[in-house]
Amino acid sequence: MAKKRKTKKQSPARGRRSRQRKKKKQMKYPVLAGLLLALLALTFFIYQHRFHVSASYKVNQKAIITADSSPMLYPYLFDLAADSLEQNATVQVEGYFLTKLKGKQVTLAKITLRGRSYYLDAKNLQIQQTNTINQYIASLNYPHAEITQAIYQQFKQQAYFGASAQPKGIIIHDTGNDSSSLQSEVSYMKQNYKSAGVFVHSFIDKDSIFQIADDRYMAQGAGPKGNPYYLQFELIREHSQENFARQLANAAYYTAVMLKKYQLPVTLGQKDASGTVWTHQMVSSYLGGTDHQDPDDYWNGAAAEFFASDYSVQDFLDLIQVYYNQL
């Protein structure tokens, strides 16, 4: 008969250690779960308070910010730990950032103040204009007409080129006619569209911003290198100081609205086809496919006659930025 093997009794100390290890394992999982939840909460908190940048661009501007507007000065791209402004200050504007915060679009300006860099909502800036005509427009408190739409359905509706099928900028034309009116130009374009195949999105004068083509589709006024990518508008020729200035203000406002609508920055067209703001002359020089030189002659002539000054597309960019910041 086989002998029964004696079972070895576990010592009390060893059993206690085993139970402690099991207990530690059981405690470990809730701790890890808690840490994970805390990390997720922190990530969500950071995401909610971070300005998410979609585009940025550099500028060299001076501006005034007023304490009355209670601007929030952010040292970083977070809406936390903001400094306050105790008195009015003149600042250097280094650039702009197109951002989203909690689903809302916010244009931030990067400024230098007291030797430090800050970000603030660009609506708080009063840009100091250097061009005589822009200064005159500022003295009028940056007026503008509202956009009136009367879409002509006969114009061809063709999507912009590119994956997004959206415009990547805007082209400025002038009619080249010293004696026409906005309505006569609109009528002429409609009547001759079938034979000429030419149209733009809008016409602008001192009183009106009149849109005749759907901006979701390309126009046909700047040749094969410009049409597939850019919004386009025509300037009616004005014949007095105030009328010319008010037209520029309307044009800058319209440009700002369109750029903001398509979440585009305010940047000058370049030879490499980058940039968002173009004259027809720039398309001819940089992109080709057309040889028109407008609106350079019109702007230069009107600026010299009415203001004894000049006016460039860079001056126009400075004006656009004012309206853009307020949208």
Side-chain angles (χ1 to χ4, degrees):
M1 185 175 178
K3 292 183 179 180
K4 290 184 179 180
R5 181 179 293 179
K6 292 183 179 179
T7 56
K8 194 174 182 180
K9 289 186 178 180
Q10 192 177 42
S11 67
R14 188 174 179 181
R16 190 164 52 250
R17 286 195 297 271
S18 178
R19 288 193 298 273
Q20 287 174 346
R21 283 195 296 270
K22 288 181 180 179
K23 190 174 182 180
K24 284 181 179 179
K25 284 184 178 180
Q26 291 172 349
M27 293 175 62
K28 185 177 180 180
Y29 296 115
V31 170
L32 288 174
L35 288 173
L36 181 59
L37 287 173
L39 181 60
L40 289 172
L42 178 61
T43 302
F44 180 74
F45 178 82
I46 292 173
Y47 182 86
Q48 285 289 93
H49 290 277
R50 179 176 176 79
F51 291 99
H52 298 273
V53 179
S54 60
S56 64
Y57 53 102
K58 295 180 180 180
V59 298
N60 182 17
Q61 298 172 335
K62 284 190 176 181
I64 296 172
I65 50 177
T66 61
D68 292 343
S69 62
S70 302
M72 305 298 288
L73 305 176
Y74 303 107
Y76 308 101
L77 287 169
F78 292 90
D79 69 336
L80 301 169
D83 293 340
S84 59
L85 185 71
E86 297 179 358
Q87 59 185 6
N88 297 353
T90 300
V91 299
Q92 185 72 32
V93 184
E94 301 176 16
Y96 291 97
F97 292 74
L98 310 188
T99 75
K100 276 191 175 181
L101 178 68
K102 300 175 183 176
K104 181 181 178 182
Q105 290 186 31
V106 182
T107 301
L108 293 180
K110 185 178 182 181
I111 64 166
T112 301
L113 175 64
R114 297 188 291 268
R116 292 189 59 187
S117 291
Y118 292 97
Y119 301 90
L120 83 161
D121 192 324
K123 289 182 179 179
N124 294 296
L125 292 180
Q126 298 176 19
I127 295 174
Q128 293 185 315
Q129 299 290 352
T130 57
N131 177 271
T132 301
I133 303 172
N134 285 352
Q135 290 171 349
Y136 179 82
I137 294 169
S139 74
L140 299 176
N141 199 27
Y142 294 107
H144 67 82
E146 296 302 327
I147 299 171
T148 301
Q149 290 188 338
I151 305 301
Y152 186 57
Q153 299 299 332
Q154 301 303 312
F155 291 144
K156 184 178 180 180
Q157 293 187 339
Q158 183 176 353
Y160 295 98
F161 288 6
S164 68
Q166 292 189 345
K168 65 177 190 177
I170 193 163
I171 297 171
I172 308 152
H173 302 265
D174 90 84
T175 62
N177 189 334
D178 285 323
S179 59
S180 64
S181 67
L182 187 149
Q183 286 303 325
S184 69
E185 289 287 351
V186 170
S187 297
Y188 181 85
M189 185 164 282
K190 289 179 180 179
Q191 291 167 6
N192 290 274
Y193 169 64
K194 287 187 177 180
S195 59
V198 174
F199 70 95
V200 295
H201 292 101
S202 300
F203 285 85
I204 298 174
D205 65 8
K206 67 184 187 303
D207 297 317
S208 307
I209 304 169
F210 195 70
Q211 184 173 346
I212 61 171
D214 193 327
D215 56 80
R216 295 175 300 174
Y217 304 101
M218 67 171 72
Q220 296 175 7
K225 301 293 182 66
N227 294 340
Y229 303 104
Y230 301 99
L231 295 151
Q232 302 181 50
F233 68 86
E234 289 271 5
L235 298 172
I236 308 301
R237 293 199 168 186
E238 298 291 354
H239 302 285
S240 74
Q241 182 183 80
E242 183 172 348
N243 289 353
F244 178 59
R246 287 185 178 276
Q247 179 190 55
L248 285 174
N250 286 341
Y253 171 74
Y254 175 73
T255 302
V257 169
M258 291 294 109
L259 294 180
K260 184 77 80 163
K261 177 178 180 178
Y262 291 102
Q263 299 181 46
L264 296 168
V266 183
T267 53
L268 186 63
Q270 302 293 326
K271 290 182 179 179
D272 63 359
S274 63
T276 61
V277 179
W278 295 73
T279 62
H280 198 168
Q281 186 277 331
M282 291 166 62
V283 175
S284 298
S285 297
Y286 296 164
L287 305 181
T290 179
D291 60 2
H292 291 208
Q293 301 299 305
D294 53 310
D296 289 28
D297 288 346
Y298 170 51
W299 276 1
N300 291 334
E305 180 180 358
F306 304 134
F307 290 92
S309 181
D310 54 16
Y311 203 77
S312 69
V313 66
Q314 182 60 58
D315 296 321
F316 189 59
L317 252 70
D318 291 339
L319 189 59
I320 296 167
Q321 192 69 60
V322 173
Y323 291 100
Y324 192 91
N325 289 351
Q326 298 306 313
L327 295 173

